[in-house]
Amino acid sequence: MTTPPQGEANRLLSVRGLNVYYGESHILRNVDLSIAPGQMACLIGLNGVGKTTLLKSIIGLVPQRSGCIELAGSDCGGLAPHRRARAGIGYVPQGREIIPQLSVRENLLLGLEALPGGMGRHRHIDPLVFELFPVLEKFLARRGGDLSGGQQQQLAIARALLGKPRLLLLDEPTEGIQPSVVLDIQRAVSRIIRETGISVLLVEHHASFVRQSDCYYAMQKGGIVASGATADLSSEMIQRFLSV
Amino acid sequence: MDLLYDTLFNGLAIGSVLVLAALGLAVVFGLMGVINMAHGELMMLGAYTTYVVQNLFKNGPLEGLFPIYILVAIPLAFLVSGLAGLLLEKTVIRRLYGRPLETLLATWGVSLILQQFVRSVSSAFVVGLVVAVALGLVAPRLWPSSWAQRRWTPLLAVATWLFSGLIGIILASGLGGIRVLDQPWFSARNLDVTAPLWLRGSVDFGGVNMPTARLFIVALTAIALVAVHCFLQKSVWGIRIRAVTQNRSMSDCLGIPTETVDALTFLVGSGLAGVAGVAVTLLGSVGPNLGGNYIVDCFMVVVLGGVGKLLGTVVAALGIGVLSYVIGSGSLLLLWPAMPAGLNELITFFATTSMAKVLVFALIVLFLQFRPAGLFPQKGRLVEA
């Protein structure tokens, strides 16, 4: 297990002094966070503390008022979401956001858009995603909106993986999903990190999933209030930050 | 039996024009959700493009190719209307996404501008317009870079455009003194487009007389439908368009350049309006008010079919076409001679083109009370996503 990296050179994602507002409401307050290559970091905190907003501001869906977001040393704070995706940030949002009228295959092809040339140049779906989520291969022709919640979550993760991101943002991937599929997703995420070496920033409420991460950042009232190696996360901390 | 076939064919022909006219709107309104009141005027631009191409092929070196001028007019009309739509999207609609009422008003204003444009356009007018736009675009590039972030920079930009406009007006007025440059290109009167000889006859199918112009429109509609279907379902840009129209923010996060997709979608929808403009020149004269005759019908077709469903647009347009013709032409009375007296009088009352339209629209309004989402509503667990 590792602690959050301190050296500038060892950071894949570096967020410094990030402030985000919704109108006049101050949502994120001077957030500092960093993730090393191949590291899995977990964001924990009660509902409404700004975890999803932080992920949205990293992908570019929510504009920042001040601060800096760097990916591998390059400032990406001013880029549109599609440019950040092409720079190597994959995003699996809360609620999956599958394109409902498109088939599973078309949804997967959309994942290739983050690669240079997009779908126009790449039409090959990496077999790894079918190894991770066999159900997707079975339902390739089915509409994304017709899949169950768990299948949609698997599709959303597979779609993000096909863009070969360097950093994967996972926003509550096990929310509202039956326990057997939760385990499948946890196993898949572990294998993804092991085999592809990508970094993951995870927002999660399942303690068992949080325990898989290397380090944690605990949020309260829009700011980071604690961080460290997940191995050092006490039961009291879990109780305090993971209760819904 | 011949009467039935004749009635069905004529209804199908009217419906085909509606399909073609509404197809572009089905893309722009149905997929993007943009209420484009200038859609009819984009059709009008397509019709005027046909008129210009026809004139080019009437005399001069291209005279021998006159029989095929309409085949040249189709892609050109697509291009002209498509580019006009692209300009409209980039300058007006892009700033109004998610604000339907403002979009409705703005595009209605654009429709009036386009109508007046074809009435007034002359060589002097075009020179003035081009100079004004060029000056407005070039002048800010000549400013010192230190002016870019000043508090008064937006005011300076407005002043530059006003000044450029003034220069354009002065230039156009000055050139207006030269008679040949002041001559309106089209004027306000209606213009006739002469169809090639092969589109002026008719074909006899088992006793049913089918005008070739209408057969051509049916074929053009079928080709346009297949092309749009293949583009949206099979091409890479089609998948991007469908993704962006269903979930813009997620598509953006996946790496799709949503602004480019918006522009392309609008170009295709507007271009299809141009192709519809070519078709309507075969049915009547070309004038500044041409688009206004179709816009309400087009919206009715898209809403009745189910917003976002191309199949719905086709079924609704053909249904409206056949029903309008059957009621308006009085064919129903001939098809069913033994009709009860009361019903006979009612059908006779509606047996004119305008009254048939009133009845059909009343039926559509009634139908939408029971099925507000139209004939083919969107389905799926995540329709609202």
Side-chain angles (χ1 to χ4, degrees), chain B residues 118-202:
Chain B
V118 294
R119 287 190 190 106
S120 313
V121 65
S122 63
S123 302
F125 182 96
V126 168
V127 171
L129 187 69
V130 168
V131 167
V133 171
L135 207 60
L137 291 174
V138 169
R141 293 171 197 275
L142 304 176
W143 297 346
S145 55
S146 59
W147 290 9
Q149 297 295 328
R150 299 289 174 87
R151 203 157 46 88
W152 38 262
T153 305
L155 283 177
L156 184 65
V158 171
T160 307
W161 276 106
L162 285 175
F163 179 72
S164 306
L166 194 66
I167 294 285
I169 290 169
I170 292 169
L171 189 63
S173 304
L175 292 172
I178 305 167
R179 192 177 158 76
V180 68
L181 293 179
D182 194 37
Q183 199 74 21
W185 288 2
F186 306 116
S187 80
R189 65 195 164 82
N190 281 0
L191 305 163
D192 283 321
V193 173
T194 312
L197 201 58
W198 61 278
L199 282 175
R200 274 183 256 165
S202 61

Side-chain angles (χ1 to χ4, degrees), chain A residues 59 61 81-82 85-86 91 93 97 99-102 106 110 113-114 119-120 123 143 145-148 152 159, chain B residues 233-234 236 239-240 242-243 246-247 249-258 378-383 385:
Chain A
I59 189 67
L61 283 176
H82 68 272
R86 288 176 181 187
Y91 179 51
E97 308 225 6
I99 312 293
Q101 304 293 324
L102 262 58
E106 287 169 334
L110 289 177
E113 282 290 277
M119 277 189 286
R123 302 289 286 200
R143 287 192 320 171
D146 290 341
L147 298 182
S148 70
Q152 285 184 3
R159 184 179 63 182
Chain B
Q233 299 297 325
K234 307 288 179 199
V236 165
I239 297 176
R240 287 177 184 141
R242 285 185 291 141
Q246 287 177 59
N247 193 331
S249 60
M250 192 60 228
S251 301
D252 204 359
C253 293
L254 288 168
I256 300 174
T258 52
Q378 300 271 21
K379 287 178 186 166
R381 290 185 188 201
L382 284 175
V383 167

